Amino acid sequence: MQMAPDTSNLDPVVLELGHLFADAGYELSLVGGPVRDLFLGRVSPDLDFTTNATPDEILAVAKKWADSHWEMGREFGTIGFRKRARSGVVLLIEVTTYRAEAYDPESRKPAVAFGSSLEADLGRRDFTTNSMALRLPSLELVDPYGGAADLAAGLLRTPGTPEQSFSDDPLRMMRAARFTSQLGFAIHPDVHRAMADMAGRISIISAERVRDELVKLICGAHPRAGIDVLVETGLADLVLPEVPALKLESDEHHRHKDVYQHSLQVLEQAAALESGPEGPVPGPDFVLRFAALMHDVGKPKTRRFEPGGAVSFRHHDLAGAKLTAKRMKALRFDNDSIKAVSRLVELHMRFYGYGDAGWTDSAVRRYVTDAGPVLERLHRLTRSDVTTRNQRKADRLSFAYDDLEQRIAVLAEQEELDSIRPDLDGGAIMALLGLKPGPAVGRAYNFLLEERMEHGPLPREAAEAALRAWWARQPESRAPANTDPGETASPAAPNSTGDSTTPDS
């Protein structure tokens, strides 16, 4: 790796801003990740700068120059700007006054004190690779802590002692694991040791900040290495305890690895199956990757020792889905992500009922319907869940899944598999049976949905005949004339979503 940053791709806007501050009598430096990325040959639209100007002075210099600005970080000395580059790319710029922060060990937030020295500001940053600056507009590299050498060596160190750094901001321990995943860096032994000793301090960090670092880690180029760091240092025991718990288990399907190593391999294999930007699962895809990591977390809870020494994990898919949803809720994930990941965990074993004889058309329809919007991810998760060294077994499973996907494709050409509905909607059901909205309509709707699953699309006349025959067997059909069958007290069967409400017509 080069030992000097490549500034040839630096946007002219950066130098413009540097000249503005210099003309006003202030220092300005590009700092942190954007400088590191110049060494790596990358350019980011998010640019961080540091200066000896105060927030009010920053605004005075750049407010008219920028397209827009925001002041949400003012109490921390940060003013944000948005500026459209000549290339048309919108640059997000943050300019922060030199800091000399004093942290309260028991607080989640730093007590900010402004500083007057660039070198001192760099010394309070997380790692040496992020403690480099490029003075503007001269483009002089400032690297007092050997960040360029560490970058070349692929090593994560802290500018000061790691104990002081992690005491100042415990989230930096999560960042170390994240950079291992994103950049493939090794962690200096002193840093690794401090992380293990101080892992408990992560408990003062908000769930949202931990979640954001975890997402970046999972979506990195080397997520297996990042997860290993979390587990080795004990951080995972606090932020993702279901994963280190897997180290205690043995998997009866994959005897050559414990469940922990198997899960990491599935994570790697799932990431490798992501599609390009125009494909069905563009990578990096957090939902697929996290489901791959968590797919077997139900095994510790469901482990049973059978006669003869065998070990079983019955219904670990259902248990794992519940554990996954619970952990994601604790980490403040959005509901859509929780639903998608836990659904994948719940369905990851469904394919193993697909024997040599294949499935009936109705079983294939249910597989597609149950997967819903995560079907393409489920394809990839299921294929990734094969880590056996037995090539014959691996080939057999792969061929079987090829066959299932082909069955799905053939049925999809004949039917609308992605939106299976009964052949009659709620309005038609009520008109045919003379019902008002109520539980009986929901049960009729579910009956027709089952017919659709079992037999595929039916002509309208056949669907109506089947519904009349079903209704003739229901006690409501024989209700006295003065009784409204739509308001009967008979219990209603749940519909396909688990509710007993009348479906929309």
Side-chain angles (χ1 to χ4, degrees):
M1 183 181 297
Q2 60 188 2
M3 292 296 292
D6 178 8
T7 60
S8 61
N9 291 324
L10 204 59
D11 196 281
V13 163
V14 173
L15 294 178
E16 283 180 20
L17 191 59
H19 282 293
L20 281 176
F21 274 78
D23 291 345
Y26 301 113
E27 298 176 3
L28 184 74
S29 297
L30 186 67
V31 71
V35 178
R36 179 197 68 222
D37 287 347
L38 291 175
F39 282 88
L40 299 173
R42 306 188 310 200
V43 177
S44 170
D46 298 338
L47 300 174
D48 295 326
F49 298 83
T50 189
T51 179
N52 61 344
T54 66
D56 285 340
E57 292 165 341
I58 293 170
L59 278 171
V61 171
K63 183 176 180 180
K64 292 182 179 179
W65 168 83
D67 298 327
S68 61
H69 77 283
W70 60 93
E71 302 180 37
M72 289 182 294
R74 174 186 277 272
E75 66 174 307
F76 299 106
T78 300
I79 303 296
F81 299 98
R82 184 177 285 105
K83 179 73 173 180
R84 185 174 295 277
R86 295 174 189 174
S87 63
V89 174
V90 175
L91 301 177
L92 299 180
I93 294 168
E94 289 191 344
V95 183
T96 303
T97 306
Y98 294 153
R99 291 180 181 175
E101 291 171 356
Y103 287 79
D104 179 350
E106 302 305 319
S107 174
R108 293 180 176 182
K109 296 182 179 180
V112 176
F114 296 149
S116 58
S117 163
L118 173 61
E119 286 73 12
D121 179 272
L122 296 176
R124 53 153 293 277
R125 295 179 180 269
D126 52 5
F127 301 103
T128 59
T129 52
N130 293 331
S131 297
M132 297 181 287
L134 208 60
R135 288 191 187 273
L136 299 171
S138 66
L139 298 180
E140 174 196 351
L141 178 66
V142 181
D143 182 17
Y145 302 100
D150 287 342
L151 197 56
L155 185 65
L156 278 179
R157 290 190 307 117
T158 53
T161 67
E163 290 79 9
Q164 183 61 53
S165 181
F166 298 150
S167 179
D168 286 349
D169 185 359
L171 190 66
R172 291 172 175 174
M173 295 184 286
M174 290 287 296
R175 287 198 196 117
R178 188 242 293 184
F179 287 134
T180 299
S181 171
Q182 288 182 328
L183 302 174
F185 282 9
I187 296 177
H188 190 280
D190 291 345
V191 175
H192 196 283
R193 190 179 308 110
M195 291 171 65
D197 291 343
M198 302 179 67
R201 279 191 55 74
I202 200 68
S203 61
I204 73 169
I205 301 299
S206 69
E208 291 83 358
R209 293 182 73 202
V210 170
R211 174 202 64 207
D212 291 347
E213 288 297 326
L214 182 63
V215 170
K216 293 173 183 176
L217 185 159
I218 295 294
C219 291
H222 312 280
R224 181 175 192 156
I227 293 296
D228 262 337
V229 169
L230 292 183
V231 172
E232 291 166 0
T233 58
L235 284 165
D237 292 329
L238 300 164
V239 302
L240 203 59
E242 296 79 8
V243 172
L246 296 173
K247 292 175 72 72
L248 304 178
E249 306 304 324
S250 296
D251 187 343
E252 80 281 16
H253 295 303
H254 312 277
R255 295 183 185 277
H256 62 286
K257 293 185 179 72
D258 63 23
V259 181
Y260 173 71
Q261 292 298 332
H262 163 70
S263 297
L264 293 186
Q265 187 171 349
V266 174
L267 168 60
E268 282 187 320
Q269 294 180 172
L273 290 178
E274 292 166 341
S275 64
E278 303 304 319
V281 185
D285 187 84
F286 172 78
V287 168
L288 171 62
R289 292 184 182 203
F290 198 57
L293 177 65
M294 302 291 282
H295 77 284
D296 274 347
V297 296
K299 284 191 170 181
K301 184 177 181 178
T302 59
R303 182 175 64 166
R304 298 291 183 272
F305 295 99
E306 306 292 348
V311 180
S312 67
F313 303 95
R314 293 190 180 93
H315 306 303
H316 74 272
D317 43 359
L318 301 179
K322 292 178 180 178
L323 288 171
T324 298
K326 182 178 180 181
R327 177 56 48 198
M328 293 183 73
K329 288 176 183 176
L331 289 171
R332 305 290 193 271
F333 277 93
D334 62 279
N335 289 334
D336 287 344
S337 295
I338 295 172
K339 182 178 179 181
V341 174
S342 58
R343 189 62 164 162
L344 285 169
V345 173
E346 179 184 350
L347 294 176
H348 82 272
M349 292 295 293
R350 181 73 65 86
F351 162 71
Y352 290 98
Y354 193 85
D356 293 335
W359 284 347
T360 63
D361 285 352
S362 64
V364 175
R365 292 187 193 101
R366 292 179 193 279
Y367 188 80
V368 173
T369 301
D370 289 347
V374 299
L375 178 63
E376 288 292 342
R377 290 178 172 124
L378 182 59
H379 289 335
R380 287 157 175 77
L381 175 60
T382 303
R383 290 185 181 277
S384 301
D385 196 21
V386 178
T387 61
T388 178
R389 292 177 179 173
N390 184 327
Q391 192 59 48
R392 290 182 62 186
K393 180 179 180 181
D395 289 343
R396 178 173 58 81
L397 291 170
S398 179
F399 294 151
Y401 206 84
D402 288 343
D403 183 63
L404 174 58
E405 286 201 76
Q406 181 61 30
R407 292 280 306 286
I408 292 172
V410 170
L411 279 178
E413 290 182 1
Q414 303 169 355
E415 311 172 17
E416 296 182 7
L417 286 185
D418 58 345
S419 58
I420 290 180
R421 298 288 186 273
D423 295 296
L424 303 176
D425 62 19
I429 291 170
M430 290 188 286
L432 185 69
L433 301 182
L435 297 177
K436 294 181 179 180
V441 181
R443 288 168 48 218
Y445 184 94
N446 286 340
F447 164 75
L448 287 176
L449 182 60
E450 287 295 315
E451 290 290 293
R452 173 71 171 77
M453 289 286 189
E454 192 66 30
H455 304 294
L458 296 175
R460 186 178 183 88
E461 296 77 8
E464 290 178 347
L467 180 61
R468 287 194 183 98
W470 171 84
W471 180 243
R473 299 191 296 272
Q474 306 309 304
E476 295 95 326
S477 68
R478 297 183 293 276
N482 61 350
T483 300
D484 185 343
E487 298 176 354
T488 178
S490 299
N495 63 24
S496 60
T497 60
D499 300 323
S500 58
T501 56
T502 304
D504 293 334
S505 60

